[in-house]
Amino acid sequence: MTTTQQVEPAARVTSLRRKDLLGIEEMSADEITLVLDTAEAMKEIGSRTIKKVPALRGKTVVNLFFEPSTRTRTSFEIAEKRLSADTLNIAIGTSSVVKGETLVDTALTLEAMAPDMIVLRHQSSGAGHLLSRICKSAIINAGDGTHEHPTQALLDAFTIRERKGRLAGLKVAIIGDLVHSRVLRSNLHLLTKMGAETWVCAPPTLVPPEMRRFGVVVTNVVEEAVRDADVVMLLRIQLERMEGAYFSSLREYSTVFGMTEERLRLAKPDVIIMHPGPMNRGVEISSEVADGPYSVILDQVSNGVAVRMAVLYLLAGGADHEEAA
Amino acid sequence: MPIVMDADRIGRTLTRIAHEIVERNKGVEDIALVGVRRRGVPIAKRLARLIKEIAHHDVPTGALDITMYRDDVTRHALGLQPLVRRTEVSFSIDDRKILLVDDVLYTGRTTRAALDALIDFGRPKAIQLVVLVDRGHRELPIRADYVGKNIPTAPTDVVHVRVQEIDERDEVELVSGGAA
């Protein structure tokens, strides 16, 4: 996919030549850059008095959330409204869902009402891929199990690029629950494609074996990860996904891996601190770091809207493009 | 392929338009120039410089990306999706006369989109349209207030406006007969 674009070096991609956004793994570096560039134009719309453009007028977007979510769902909803799409939210409590069949049935029912896009959050990895095969609508993965959360990685990349001007060559340290994190997987795909030097750090019990595959540096010593880092990204300790004993206590985790001002002094003087939220204050991140001058955690939230607008806009065009071809 | 305007001709034309703008508006205190991306933007900036020479007054300039307002934004019959670029209008357009600047006026659909985009920023006192080339074949009731050159064309012709700032030379070329 990338090679065809590189025939003529000046030519950049101007559309996402895909129906769905299921993960970063399938995306090329050019496509990622296109989303980030488009998000810059979208961010300007958010600064206007009238924060609305007619680009997706007449398009229907369904937000189908099988897992609780505040920021991702509201972020998508605001993004859809700023592009003038008609939106509806379907939130289904996890308890009422029988996996697989019910998802397919729900999707087919929705599909019968001909929405243009479905934004899907589901607790099973690969749920988006399943819907993508049975639905004509464009599917945007808003987090599937422990697999991917592509728009989060894109908004993280946008925030880094906004502060540092680039992604290539930066030392990015990601610290926290590596086993259960779909945010991590999407970020590793993205950061390695864009040429960042990526380190991951966690207790040995929270390091999944496939980390080697990404070509990242793995360490169990938080100081090594943080030393001279340009970006420190903390991941939430996901107590709700932990079925075994990964470490003896939260207090122990916090003492050995928690991000404190003292540890942060090892990083570059202009380091930025990121967290996809929701935070466990006092566990993976101390309050003075979360609210400190290096923190861009709230920028991540506001940039999320611009990045999701870019994805919605690019996919809306891409789907029609395929039909025309 | 015929070059219908060369750099000298474009330069003289813009100087003439700048004079017309100053004359017709009886002063330039309440005007602003907004270029339509991409080639309307450098043309608007040049007009602002020319107006400053004539009227000794700085006229604010802005840039408008109208991609999101196009009526074909999700209908790509003509090819790839246009790249969305930044809109930069850093001044209030309320109660100002806005001169909307574009390179070519053709169907009028770009202008229609630009009017919508502009009106989302406020309530200008008036909007006037400046184009370097009017090639006819309007599909909407839109006309330009200031025209650099009227060029009769066939619908299959293609008009290329090139500007120094983007294309490294100033010229207007007419490519005829679907040779695009």
Side-chain angles (χ1 to χ4, degrees), chain A residues 34 40 44 48 55 313 320, chain B residues 68 74 83-84 86-87 121:
Chain A
L34 171 68
E40 275 183 31
E44 179 272 323
R48 298 183 192 170
Y313 165 74
D320 273 39
Chain B
M68 312 285 284
T74 55
L83 203 61
V84 185
R86 278 182 78 88
T87 287
F121 281 89

Side-chain angles (χ1 to χ4, degrees), chain A residues 5 18 39 45 60 90 103 117 121-122 144 148 173 178 181 231 248 273 283 320 325:
Chain A
Q5 293 301 333
R18 55 181 72 251
I45 294 166
T60 307
I90 301 174
L103 171 62
M117 297 195 222
R121 154 85 46 112
H122 198 276
D144 60 331
E148 281 227 41
L178 309 179
S181 179
V231 177
S248 35
I273 300 295
V283 181
D320 273 39

Side-chain angles (χ1 to χ4, degrees), chain B residues 21-91:
Chain B
I21 290 170
V22 176
E23 189 189 353
R24 224 184 284 178
N25 291 289
K26 303 181 181 69
V28 293
E29 284 70 29
D30 60 347
I31 75 165
L33 292 152
V34 175
V36 177
R37 286 205 188 272
R38 292 182 72 194
R39 286 171 184 72
V41 178
I43 297 174
K45 289 201 174 126
R46 282 196 223 174
L47 284 171
R49 279 199 298 277
L50 292 164
I51 290 170
K52 188 174 162 67
E53 281 170 26
I54 300 161
H56 310 289
H57 188 85
D58 279 313
V59 175
T61 59
L64 206 58
D65 182 283
I66 55 106
T67 317
M68 312 285 284
Y69 291 83
R70 290 172 65 113
D71 51 13
D72 57 353
V73 64
T74 55
R75 290 179 41 173
H76 302 291
L78 297 174
L80 290 176
Q81 197 166 14
L83 203 61
V84 185
R85 293 167 197 276
R86 278 182 78 88
T87 287
E88 285 154 19
V89 179
S90 55
F91 47 88

Side-chain angles (χ1 to χ4, degrees), chain B residues 169-180:
Chain B
R169 63 179 185 281
D170 280 347
E171 66 184 21
V172 178
E173 184 188 7
L174 177 64
V175 182
S176 53

Side-chain angles (χ1 to χ4, degrees), chain A residues 250-265:
Chain A
L250 283 179
R251 177 194 286 256
E252 186 200 291
Y253 180 86
S254 154
T255 312
V256 183
F257 292 96
M259 194 48 53
T260 58
E261 282 193 317
E262 196 192 334
R263 287 200 170 116
L264 210 49
R265 277 188 215 114

Side-chain angles (χ1 to χ4, degrees), chain A residues 28 38 50-51 64 71 133 178 183 226 229 240 289 301 311 314:
Chain A
S28 67
T38 307
I50 296 179
K51 300 176 180 57
L64 182 56
R71 74 192 68 214
R133 285 195 295 273
L178 309 179
V183 174
V226 173
E240 76 280 9
V289 172
V301 179
V311 167
L314 291 169

